[in-house]
Amino acid sequence: MKIIGEKINGTRQRVAQAIAGRDADYIQKLAQDQAEAGADWLDVNAGTKQSNEPKDLIWLVETVQSVVDIPLCLDSPNPAALTEAIQIVERTPMINSISGEPWRLDGILPLVAKHRCPVIALAMDDGGIPETCAGRIDAVHKVMQASRSCGVPDEDVYIDPLVMTLATDTESANITLETMRLIHAQYPDTHMSMGLSNISFGMPARANINRVFLILAVAAGLDSAIVDPMDRELKAALLTTQMLLGRDRYCLNYTRAYRAGLFNRKEC
Ligand code: THG
C-alpha cells in the first residue's frame, strides 16, 4: 500500500496562508513530519486561482524538496502549472491528475509519457463527476483508451474512483466501492488511489470515518491513497487489514510495527 501525504494542500486554510505569505518553515515542517511518518509521496496542491498557480506550485515544490527526499505528487488540473513544475522536480513525480476531459488529456498525457511518471486518472469527464458507477466506468474507459494510445503502461496509472462526502449523499461510499470493484476486474494491471479524507467533509469524528472507509476500500482493491500519514490509528488499521487479507507475508509488517510501538495506546 502506497501512501501519499495529504497535508500540503492550499484548500486547507492554514496552508493557503503559508503559501500567500511564503512561510517556508510551516510548509517544510509539514513535509518533514509526513516523510518521517513513512509517506511514499507528498501531495503538493497550491489550491490557488489559475493565474497564480504556476508560481505558487513552483514555490511549494522548491520549498518541500529542499528538506525531504521523497518524490512529490503534483496535484493540479492545470497543464501549464504541471509543465513548469515538472522541469524543476528532483525526483520523478506522480502527476495528479488526468481525467476524461479532452483538455486535460491533451495537455497532460504527453508530459506523463515523456517523463514516464505515474499518473492519477480521475473517473470523471467533461460531464463532471458521474453519480453512477456506470458513468464513472465510462469515464475511466475514455482515459484508459487515451493513456494506452500515448504508450503509458497500465501499471503507471492510478485510477481514482472519486470520493464524495457522505454528508451530501449517504450512497457515496457505496458508489465509490462498487466503482472500485468494477475497475479492479476490468483493468487488473492499473493501481487504484483515492482522496480518503473527502469521505468525511462536514461530518463529526472525521478520523473515525476515514479509518473505517480505508478498510472497506482496501478490501475492494485500493492499493494507494492520499491520507494523513501522521494518523497512527489509521496506520494500525491499515496494517491489520493487509494482514487479515493475506497481504503481509509471515505477518512481518504487523509484528514489526507492533515492536516499534504502533499499537501502544499511550502513544496513539
Ligand atoms: N483525488 C485526487 N486528489 C485529491 C483528492 C481526490 N487531492 C485533494 C483531495 N482530494 C485530497 N486531499 C485532502 C487533503 C486534506 C483533506 C482532505 C483531502 C482534509 N483535511 C482536514 C484538515 O485539513 O483539516 C482533516 C484531516 C486531518 O485531520 O488531517 O479534509 O479525491 N486524485
Side-chain angles (χ1 to χ4, degrees), residues 6-7 9 11-12 43 45 75 96-97 120 122 160 162-163 193-198 200-201 206 210 226 228:
E6 73 175 15
K7 293 286 183 183
N9 190 312
T11 64
R12 302 177 67 213
D43 197 65
N45 179 321
D75 188 351
N96 182 12
S97 53
I120 299 182
L122 307 181
D160 183 334
L162 292 172
V163 177
S193 189
M194 62 164 59
L196 182 77
S197 310
N198 298 354
S200 60
F201 276 128
R206 292 188 61 179
N210 298 346
I226 306 173
D228 174 3

Side-chain angles (χ1 to χ4, degrees), residues 65-80:
Q65 72 185 1
S66 69
V67 292
V68 297
D69 57 11
I70 57 173
L72 304 180
C73 176
L74 302 174
D75 188 351
S76 167
N78 180 352

